Amino acid sequence: MSTETQNDGDDLEDRVANFLRRNFPQIQMHGGSAAIQDIDRESGEVSIALGGACSGCGISPMTIQAIKSRMVKEIPEIEKVNASTGMDGGEADMGGGGMSPSFPGETVDDDGEADEGPEAPF
C-alpha cells in the first residue's frame, strides 16, 4: 500500500506541474520559469517559485494571483497556494534580490525630512 501512496503523491506533483504548463505557457514563452518548491499533501498546501524573467516582471503579481485562484479550483486536493518571484521577500527566494522601488515623499532622509527624489540638473 505504501507504493500506492507514493504513486498518488507523484501523481499530485505531476498534476501541479501539468497545470502550470497548460495554464501558463506565457511564463516560459517570456523567459520565466515556474518550479514546485513544496507540496504538503496533509494540509493541501503548495509552494511555487517563479524565476527567470518573472523576477521583477510588472505583471508577475497578476500571474501569481491567477495561479492561486485557478489551481485550487482545478486540483481538488489543493487548498492553498503560496507563490513567490523572490522579489517580494517570500520564502521561495529565487536569488533575484533587488530593491523595491521608492518614490519621492515615500522615504525619509537621515535628518528626518521627506525625500524629495533626485534633484534636477538645472
Side-chain angles (χ1 to χ4, degrees):
M1 185 152 286
S2 62
T3 306
E4 185 176 318
T5 304
Q6 182 64 35
N7 288 342
D8 288 346
D10 290 343
D11 179 53
L12 180 58
E13 188 170 341
D14 288 344
R15 287 188 289 144
V16 170
N18 287 333
F19 166 86
L20 291 170
R21 278 192 296 272
R22 187 178 68 250
N23 289 292
F24 297 96
Q26 68 272 27
I27 292 174
Q28 264 192 326
M29 289 171 34
H30 294 158
S33 61
I36 301 168
Q37 295 296 300
D38 186 51
I39 297 177
D40 185 335
R41 289 163 181 84
E42 288 183 26
S43 68
E45 196 166 332
V46 174
S47 295
I48 306 288
L50 301 179
C54 292
S55 294
C57 175
I59 64 168
S60 63
M62 289 184 284
T63 302
I64 288 171
Q65 189 57 42
I67 290 170
K68 287 180 174 185
S69 65
R70 290 168 62 181
M71 188 180 293
V72 296
K73 290 178 184 172
E74 284 193 33
I75 304 174
E77 295 91 338
I78 304 299
E79 298 287 329
K80 181 178 180 185
V81 179
N82 300 308
S84 172
T85 62
M87 295 294 289
D88 58 4
E91 288 181 300
D93 188 357
M94 295 292 288
M99 297 173 50
S100 297
S102 62
F103 301 95
E106 186 178 88
T107 58
V108 177
D109 288 340
D110 292 337
D111 59 4
E113 294 188 27
D115 177 15
E116 296 300 320
E119 292 184 26
F122 47 86

